[in-house]
Amino acid sequence: MEVGSLPVELWRVILAYLPLPDLGRCCQVCRAWRELILSLDNTRWRQLCLGCPECRHPNWPSQPHLEPPSWREALKQHALATRTWTQNGPELQSSACLLFFRRRKDRRVWHVGPGCEFETLRGALGVVGPYDRVVLHPGVYEEQAEVALKVPVELVGLGRLGEVALLVCMEQQCPTARLCNLVFMPPWFSTVVYKTSWGHVQLDNCNFEGAQLQIRGPGTCQARFCSFSQGSSAHLLGVVLSLFDSCDFSGSDTASVTVEGPPVSERNWACKHLAALARTFSSCGLSEHNGSPKGHLAASTGGHQPPGANVKKESITIGDWKSRTGVDAVCQRTVIEDGWSDGERSEGEENRDEWGANNTKKQFTLEYKIPCDHHGLSHFLNPRPDGSLPLSSSPDPPSMIPDPLTLQQELDRDPEAHMLAASTLGCILRRCLFRDGKGGVHLSNYGQARLEENVFRSLNYAVRCIQNSTIVMLRNEVCECRASGVFLRLSAQGLIAENNIHSNGEAGLDIRKGANPTIVCNKIHSGLRSGVVVLGNGKGSIRSNQIYNNKEAGVYILFSGNPVVSGNHIFQGQAAGIAINENGRGTITENVIRENQWGGVDIRRGGDPILRNNYICYGYSDGVVVGERGRGLIEGNQVFCNKGCGVWVMSSSLPQLLSNYIIHNCMYGLAVFCRKDPENIEVREGNWPGQEGIAGEGGGADRRGVEGEGREGQENFNEEGELFAWDSDLDSEDERHSARRSISVALVESNCMSYNGAVGLYVKSTEALNVFANLINCNRGLGIAVLQSSQLTRLATNCILENGRGGVAVEKDCRVELRGNGIYENSGYGVSFSGNGQIVENDVVGNRGCGIQVCGTADIKVMRNRVQPSQGCGIAVLGPVKGVVHDNILFQGHRDNRKALLHMDPGNESCVLRNNSILRHDDSCTSVPPWVMENPPPRPLASSPAGLSSSQYPSGLGISVTTRISATVESGCHSGSMFCSIL
């Protein structure tokens, strides 16, 4: 019979009447017939699959509205899975094989029910032979004592699910058994309805109502399409391997699945078959998800998206950001504190010195220019070999941000995580639904579990892993939990990858008490509190996740939490991106932290992280906030295009800022304050609206106790005595700081602060501050403004270049030392100084206003500087200034500038001028004077790195610090200068 003799459509109609065995035989006729049979997938194969009384929709219970890729393949997998219980015969003994097949052929079918061979289940089980089938007719079967299964048997309910109910407690004492299409309810004497301690049980399409399933190792269990409701649960103790596939857990009073104890060493016959099934599931899942994840999170605001969605490499422009935020990235008329303004100058300000020294109305350019481009920081400004501009001299902010790594990339570089992803020990739960109960899965005492493609919804918590247990979570959805989604405690570990964790009442993941999981490539979003919280000596590796749109901090670290946070995209949060509080630590590297409502990174109250090589950008407040008593090493980061300051530091903190790009921020590049900023007093101190800011879980830990995992019903998971009783294995101070320089004064070194909307460096502090070897250029306001400094602020070997107003301004009563700086071509004065201190060995060249202006009641030394103004005075001493001005060299800048290069008010008798050299060009000579700065060359000076390895500088963000900046230190230097000690 040829297929072509009839139309294909007619063949399909005819073949749609064939039963399953006949369809299989037709597939074996020829290739054309096989293709014809396979084309019936959405018709006959679908009917057969849905009509099977032993299974349900292939995507039940979590996604029954979605059709499988192939109905025939789904039916095939079901048929293979239902035969696992019969595969317990020895494989290599032919006689045993023959006996096995004879058993199957001779197996009997026994009927139980009214009018049948047996009316009670106990009676039937007393006569059945090995592998017999017991069919229970519709009805309720109740036994008053425990029933034992002593031979392999199959119990099947007749009719629709729910028509056969068992009120029994069954103990399996045989190697294998299968139960199908039954409803289990607890008898009056026990809540356990089925238990086994060494055999294998297969459960297909069964319901458990208010009952408990108990499996003890080396016993095993395979449950498919089962429902556990009305407080039902599965309890597994010491299991080597058990598999729950497509089960529904609802209404639990405790955890729906409890896994307790390490897998026992003994194995039963079913372990190898279950492991093969589990590996099949795992390999299929990984192959489906190993490619580049789908989705573009840049525009996400918290909708439910499939696990594994990823951001594309994204080109961001200033125009895009303006349209998103509604602000001009160069912020007109920025006003901060005390009416001190640093926006655009008015037309009248163009022609006068802001600090009181009048200039000529005619603006001069530098006619006798002294070359100064080869100073010690010029490598930050010179074009790269490919002709592109470095970040510090580019008028445009960075436009590209890196993608997070895919799961396969993470597994390739982490052998331990790769091993966990391939592991199949313990309890395996796949495509199950956990809903509307107290808990999902609970692991304790070295238990092991693997969770794949499950849905956890509307529980108190989804997963709780404690006491050295190991959890592997792949591609699950965890949502709408009343407390946190996933808890890890007491040295728990495992792999949590490609999950979609969202809309939970507390943190998405909560890590404490020595827990050390690997958390990679997840989406953690839309939480009512933080995305991830790590505290109480919690650890963990948090990598390549997308953490966004959480109400509080994306990652929150406190109470000695010490995770590694690397390669994540943390964005669009309603509070800080990352918050480190209450002695939290952590290594935070190579993250993209953007578009958060408050600080991109917030460090305070003893927080002491390593913050290195991150992109912190496009925030609606400051880029980095170091609040009260904050510490930390902040190195090699790109902090750009934030609506507030690039870095905001409270003077009571003690950070180290090294080799960062702080560029294109709307307000100050770096601001150091001694008191609360009146415009953002609550935001920067962590007291955000509704007390739900980053203090909400830590500073808020005082408010809710660190435990507050279950706000609903005041639930408190405190059975291990966790409340502030953290483990005593705190790292020593020596170990904590071995990787960084020990300091006693806040340090700002080798940073680039460029193109910010106001002052590059703003200081209003009551504590000492060291500012060394920074490039401060092209800011809209002053380069450096020191408005308050009761302790000594040292500004040494910095390059202050081409800023929109003056170079350096020091207000009255401030203590400041300027040493070895290059102050070039700023649009106002070079230095305006009204405080106390020293101006020593600086090059102040090409500034539009006065070179160095000292005024008021300052007590100052101005020594060995080289000064060339474009117009106005070189050095002007105005008012009752005390001190000395000596050994300075002053160069004429323009032939038409008739101002005195060295000027002191006639009534001043307390300031001494001596040994100053004034070089003017002969007007009769038409050639440019051959003035150069040599011996030493233009400041800041460069010297060899002297014992510093390249590993101390970032490699990933384009900063290449190949030189160390130094200056000749005068013998009368203040004792204890940090700069002196490092030289």
Side-chain angles (χ1 to χ4, degrees):
M1 183 175 63
E2 296 293 334
V3 174
S5 61
L6 289 175
V8 174
E9 291 77 10
L10 184 56
W11 275 117
R12 288 174 178 166
V13 172
I14 295 171
L15 294 174
Y17 290 94
L18 295 183
L20 181 60
D22 292 341
L23 283 177
R25 296 185 184 99
C26 289
C27 272
Q28 298 174 352
V29 173
C30 64
R31 182 177 300 176
W33 276 77
R34 176 178 173 80
E35 292 177 354
L36 182 60
I37 298 301
L38 295 182
S39 69
L40 303 176
D41 192 78
N42 288 324
T43 54
R44 185 54 178 160
W45 290 110
R46 185 176 187 275
Q47 290 174 352
L48 290 172
C49 188
L50 294 179
C52 178
E54 299 180 357
C55 70
R56 309 191 196 192
H57 190 288
N59 288 324
W60 183 89
S62 57
Q63 295 178 314
H65 57 284
L66 294 181
E67 293 199 354
S70 169
W71 288 97
R72 175 182 168 275
E73 186 64 25
L75 186 60
K76 174 185 174 182
Q77 293 298 329
H78 167 71
L80 292 175
T82 56
R83 297 173 188 169
T84 303
W85 77 285
T86 64
Q87 298 176 8
N88 66 318
E91 294 182 352
L92 300 179
Q93 299 179 13
S94 58
S95 60
C97 292
L98 293 175
L99 178 63
F100 171 66
F101 285 114
R102 183 175 62 80
R103 274 195 210 140
R104 292 192 58 195
K105 185 176 181 180
D106 297 341
R107 65 186 299 211
R108 296 186 58 179
V109 178
W110 304 88
H111 292 267
V112 179
C116 299
E117 300 167 87
F118 298 95
E119 292 192 357
T120 66
L121 176 62
R122 186 184 295 273
L125 293 177
V127 300
V128 295
Y131 299 94
D132 282 356
R133 182 184 182 104
V134 177
V135 177
L136 291 98
H137 289 246
V140 178
Y141 300 86
E142 183 176 4
E143 298 291 343
Q144 300 300 316
E146 187 174 278
V147 175
L149 300 182
K150 297 185 179 181
V151 295
V153 68
E154 183 180 24
L155 302 180
V156 180
L158 186 66
R160 300 176 59 183
L161 179 63
E163 293 182 356
V164 178
L166 303 181
L167 280 75
V168 297
C169 174
M170 307 177 76
E171 181 179 4
Q172 179 177 331
Q173 299 174 1
C174 56
T176 183
R178 179 173 184 254
L179 298 93
C180 177
N181 209 39
L182 302 170
V183 176
F184 288 90
M185 293 183 285
W188 63 270
F189 57 89
S190 175
T191 59
V192 177
V193 296
Y194 198 94
K195 56 186 176 181
T196 181
S197 59
W198 66 278
H200 171 73
V201 59
Q202 180 163 334
L203 302 166
D204 291 320
N205 198 34
C206 292
N207 283 2
F208 291 80
E209 298 180 0
Q212 183 183 116
L213 171 67
Q214 187 178 100
I215 311 295
R216 185 182 297 272
T220 55
C221 174
Q222 181 184 5
R224 302 177 69 253
F225 300 107
C226 294
S227 293
F228 293 77
S229 60
Q230 302 178 24
S232 298
S233 63
H235 198 172
L236 295 88
L237 297 91
V239 294
V240 178
L241 194 58
S242 286
L243 175 62
F244 290 77
D245 186 12
S246 302
C247 294
D248 180 23
F249 297 85
S250 62
S252 63
D253 297 327
T254 58
S256 297
V257 176
T258 299
V259 183
E260 184 178 351
V264 299
S265 57
E266 186 180 355
R267 304 286 192 271
N268 73 3
W269 66 267
C271 286
K272 60 184 178 181
H273 302 288
L274 293 178
L277 279 175
R279 282 192 292 270
T280 302
F281 295 153
S282 301
S283 62
C284 292
L286 287 175
S287 63
E288 289 171 6
H289 294 270
N290 275 346
S292 296
K294 302 175 183 179
H296 192 294
L297 281 187
S300 298
T301 57
H304 298 183
Q305 299 186 27
N310 204 342
V311 294
K312 295 169 60 179
K313 181 166 285 189
E314 182 181 13
S315 177
I316 303 177
T317 66
I318 278 289
D320 295 336
W321 187 53
K322 289 180 187 177
S323 64
R324 290 184 209 171
T325 62
V327 300
D328 187 341
V330 290
C331 296
Q332 304 287 327
R333 294 295 295 176
T334 302
V335 179
I336 306 258
E337 287 205 355
D338 305 329
W340 192 80
S341 170
D342 199 44
E344 288 197 56
R345 299 186 306 278
S346 65
E347 184 176 347
E349 287 178 305
E350 293 285 349
N351 297 323
R352 64 183 176 86
D353 189 312
E354 178 188 353
W355 303 93
N358 294 326
N359 293 328
T360 59
K361 292 184 179 180
K362 182 178 179 181
Q363 298 295 303
F364 296 132
T365 58
L366 199 61
E367 185 177 11
Y368 307 137
K369 185 170 182 179
I370 300 175
C372 56
D373 294 337
H374 53 291
H375 54 79
L377 295 177
S378 59
H379 57 280
F380 286 126
L381 299 166
N382 297 330
R384 301 186 181 108
D386 61 0
S388 62
L389 293 174
L391 292 178
S392 52
S393 60
S394 173
D396 299 316
S399 60
M400 302 297 292
I401 56 177
D403 291 340
L405 298 181
T406 63
L407 177 59
Q408 190 60 49
Q409 290 171 323
E410 285 286 358
L411 297 181
D412 288 344
R413 71 176 191 169
D414 188 342
E416 185 177 349
H418 194 281
M419 182 178 66
L420 284 171
S423 65
T424 54
L425 278 180
C427 178
I428 299 175
L429 294 114
R430 180 176 182 267
R431 299 190 308 187
C432 297
L433 173 62
F434 296 81
R435 58 188 173 91
D436 304 319
K438 179 177 179 179
V441 178
H442 179 95
L443 285 81
S444 63
N445 193 23
Y446 295 90
Q448 297 186 24
R450 180 185 180 95
L451 282 56
E452 293 186 62
E453 301 178 13
N454 303 287
V455 175
F456 298 85
R457 184 173 62 233
S458 301
L459 305 165
N460 276 15
Y461 66 89
V463 177
R464 183 171 172 81
C465 184
I466 64 173
Q467 295 170 339
N468 300 96
S469 298
T470 301
I471 184 78
V472 176
M473 293 183 65
L474 300 175
R475 300 180 299 279
N476 302 279
E477 182 177 14
V478 178
C479 62
E480 299 173 10
C481 294
R482 290 178 284 278
S484 294
V486 180
F487 293 100
L488 297 112
R489 301 280 191 283
L490 298 170
S491 302
Q493 58 184 331
L495 174 66
I496 300 173
E498 285 194 337
N499 301 283
N500 187 17
I501 302 172
H502 65 90
S503 309
N504 296 290
E506 300 283 344
L509 292 106
D510 188 306
I511 304 168
R512 320 185 184 199
K513 299 204 67 165
N516 190 19
T518 300
I519 300 169
V520 295
C521 302
N522 300 281
K523 289 177 56 186
I524 305 168
H525 63 99
S526 308
L528 299 183
R529 302 199 76 170
S530 296
V532 180
V533 61
V534 185
L535 67 158
N537 292 325
K539 300 176 184 176
S541 181
I542 303 168
R543 308 194 305 261
S544 300
N545 301 283
Q546 297 167 41
I547 304 172
Y548 63 97
N549 196 34
N550 295 288
K551 188 173 181 181
E552 298 182 5
V555 177
Y556 192 46
I557 306 169
L558 68 164
F559 296 120
S560 300
N562 191 18
V564 174
V565 183
S566 176
N568 303 282
H569 278 226
I570 303 171
F571 60 99
Q572 295 177 0
Q574 299 177 39
I578 299 178
I580 306 97
N581 206 333
E582 304 293 350
N583 301 311
R585 293 177 286 168
T587 300
I588 301 166
T589 63
E590 298 178 355
N591 301 282
V592 176
I593 305 168
R594 59 185 173 91
E595 301 177 64
N596 295 288
Q597 288 293 329
W598 307 124
V601 177
D602 192 291
I603 306 167
R604 65 182 73 244
R605 288 193 283 274
D608 190 10
I610 295 174
L611 185 68
R612 180 177 287 138
N613 292 3
N614 300 280
Y615 294 80
I616 305 171
C617 55
Y618 298 102
Y620 293 88
S621 184
D622 306 315
V624 178
V625 175
V626 185
E628 181 183 0
R629 295 187 292 107
R631 299 176 64 94
L633 173 63
I634 302 170
E635 180 179 21
N637 303 283
Q638 291 186 21
V639 186
F640 60 93
C641 294
N642 295 287
K643 187 176 178 182
C645 304
V647 179
W648 188 94
V649 176
M650 180 169 280
S651 62
S652 62
S653 61
L654 200 64
Q656 301 179 58
L657 281 84
L658 307 178
S659 305
N660 301 283
Y661 282 113
I662 305 171
I663 56 178
H664 296 281
N665 298 287
C666 280
M667 293 164 62
Y668 307 132
L670 167 61
V672 182
F673 287 90
C674 62
R675 59 184 178 85
K676 298 173 183 177
D677 178 357
E679 291 200 352
N680 295 290
I681 182 170
E682 291 189 345
V683 170
R684 289 193 171 101
E685 284 305 297
N687 300 318
W688 294 326
Q691 292 293 317
E692 293 291 331
I694 48 175
E697 286 187 76
D702 298 331
R703 171 172 55 84
R704 67 175 183 132
V706 216
E707 269 307 309
E709 296 167 339
R711 198 177 336 189
E712 182 167 315
Q714 300 299 313
E715 182 171 16
N716 184 7
F717 299 110
N718 198 31
E719 65 271 24
E720 296 101 28
E722 294 182 43
L723 189 61
F724 289 105
W726 314 127
D727 295 343
S728 59
D729 59 344
L730 290 174
D731 297 338
S732 66
E733 287 297 313
D734 292 341
E735 181 181 348
R736 290 180 58 183
H737 299 290
S738 60
R740 68 183 79 171
R741 185 185 310 171
S742 177
I743 62 172
S744 57
V745 175
L747 175 64
V748 180
E749 182 177 0
S750 300
N751 302 282
C752 295
M753 298 175 233
S754 309
Y755 293 96
N756 296 292
V759 175
L761 170 60
Y762 179 97
V763 180
K764 193 167 185 183
S765 173
T766 57
E767 304 293 334
L769 177 66
N770 291 335
V771 182
F772 303 148
N774 300 280
L775 174 65
I776 303 171
N777 69 301
C778 300
N779 298 288
R780 286 177 61 86
L782 295 161
I784 300 177
V786 183
L787 274 70
Q788 179 179 337
S789 178
S790 55
Q791 300 293 323
L792 182 62
T793 295
R794 293 186 177 91
L795 307 175
T797 65
N798 302 285
C799 181
I800 303 157
L801 175 70
E802 296 180 358
N803 293 287
R805 302 186 75 173
V808 179
V810 178
E811 284 286 353
K812 183 179 179 182
D813 298 326
C814 295
R815 294 183 58 202
V816 176
E817 175 185 345
L818 275 77
R819 184 182 297 271
N821 301 284
I823 303 170
Y824 303 120
E825 300 179 7
N826 297 286
S827 296
Y829 44 77
V831 177
S832 175
F833 204 104
S834 301
N836 303 314
Q838 303 182 57
I839 305 175
V840 179
E841 296 174 350
N842 302 281
D843 291 338
V844 187
V845 174
N847 300 286
R848 184 176 297 178
C850 181
I852 298 176
Q853 174 181 283
V854 184
C855 55
T857 58
D859 186 352
I860 191 169
K861 294 180 181 179
V862 183
M863 302 180 296
R864 299 190 297 278
N865 300 284
R866 296 180 293 195
V867 184
Q868 184 190 39
S870 294
Q871 60 190 32
C873 297
I875 298 177
V877 180
L878 307 175
V881 175
K882 300 176 183 178
V884 294
V885 179
H886 68 83
D887 295 320
N888 300 285
I889 303 175
L890 293 90
F891 301 89
Q892 182 183 10
H894 196 282
R895 73 178 70 224
D896 294 331
N897 181 15
R898 299 304 177 185
K899 287 279 187 178
L901 287 177
L902 179 59
H903 170 80
M904 184 172 68
D905 282 352
N908 189 323
E909 297 180 354
S910 56
C911 185
V912 178
L913 307 181
R914 67 170 183 266
N915 296 334
N916 297 289
S917 301
I918 299 176
L919 301 180
R920 285 189 175 274
H921 185 51
D922 187 352
D923 293 343
S924 63
C925 181
T926 58
S927 62
V928 175
W931 295 333
V932 294
M933 289 187 288
E934 57 184 9
N935 194 26
R939 299 181 176 97
L941 306 180
S943 64
S944 297
L948 294 172
S949 65
S950 60
S951 64
Q952 290 180 262
Y953 295 99
S955 58
L957 297 181
I959 292 183
S960 178
V961 181
T962 58
T963 58
R964 195 67 162 172
I965 307 305
S966 65
T968 303
V969 181
E970 186 192 7
S971 60
C973 175
H974 296 269
S975 61
S977 167
M978 186 63 201
F979 191 56
C980 295
S981 66
I982 65 173
L983 289 176

